[in-house]
Amino acid sequence: MGYRAFVIEDDHALADVLRRRLIRAGHSVTIAKHQREAYRLLDEQQFDFVLLDLRLPTHKNDMDPNTEVGFAILDHIRKRFSQDELPVIVMKAYEETSQTAVRALKASANDYIQKPFEDSPVSLDDKLAGITRHIAAAKKPSTTTAA
């Protein structure tokens, strides 16, 4: 079963690689390249999970992307959706510290992956499989009954 993936990534080549991998896995994909576009799409569409680059520009012509933009988007998502309602995998660059990943998890990201993905200890495919299992479990109706 495919899900609606929202990729927030300003690197065109990486966004295209993610799009192709997600489509091949059976998901539909929407891509935002900056903060304003991400907010607009979050207001207009529904998604099942998010892949969020932390280092992003605020708008189309912003030439100075920074990590705080990604954290602002994560905060915006968490004000509207729980971790079960809209899981988020944060993508952090290799040069960012492990403290960045810890900060993202404390800010209620469901998981993180290191870029480039080839250097990550857990593969992107494994992360995506984990998030789809999480979504399926969260959408399953409760089987408990009142006594």
Side-chain angles (χ1 to χ4, degrees):
M1 174 180 174
Y3 293 107
R4 297 164 295 184
F6 187 28
V7 176
I8 307 170
E9 171 62 64
D10 63 320
D11 181 302
H12 301 290
L14 181 56
D16 190 54
V17 166
L18 289 168
R19 182 186 57 75
R20 282 187 274 123
R21 283 178 93 166
L22 290 163
I23 288 172
R24 192 171 39 242
H27 306 296
S28 63
V29 181
T30 301
I31 297 173
K33 296 184 181 344
H34 54 79
Q35 184 179 28
R36 287 183 190 167
E37 186 176 27
Y39 288 171
R40 180 181 58 77
L41 290 167
L42 283 164
D43 286 343
E44 294 175 357
Q45 298 183 36
Q46 290 186 328
F47 302 103
D48 294 307
F49 68 95
V50 177
L51 292 175
L52 171 63
D53 182 18
L54 285 178
R55 191 173 185 81
L56 291 163
T58 58
H59 54 86
K60 185 177 180 179
N61 297 317
D62 182 1
M63 300 307 287
D64 187 28
N66 70 78
T67 306
E68 293 310 309
V69 174
F71 280 106
I73 294 170
L74 179 58
D75 183 58
H76 180 82
I77 291 169
R78 286 296 166 247
K79 285 180 178 172
R80 299 175 60 200
F81 305 99
S82 72
Q83 287 179 297
D84 285 339
E85 292 171 324
L86 188 57
V88 176
I89 298 175
V90 166
M91 301 180 289
K92 72 175 202 71
Y94 177 77
E95 66 272 2
E96 294 169 336
T97 68
S98 60
Q99 292 301 331
T100 303
V102 170
R103 181 178 169 203
L105 294 172
K106 285 183 177 179
S108 297
N110 293 69
D111 206 345
Y112 71 92
I113 189 165
Q114 178 179 299
K115 297 188 302 183
F117 302 129
E118 297 77 25
D119 294 339
S120 185
V122 179
S123 75
L124 177 61
D125 291 336
D126 288 342
K127 294 284 184 176
L128 293 173
I131 211 75
T132 57
R133 284 191 304 273
H134 177 87
I135 295 165
K139 290 187 179 215
K140 223 180 242 185
S142 175
T143 56
T144 59
T145 56

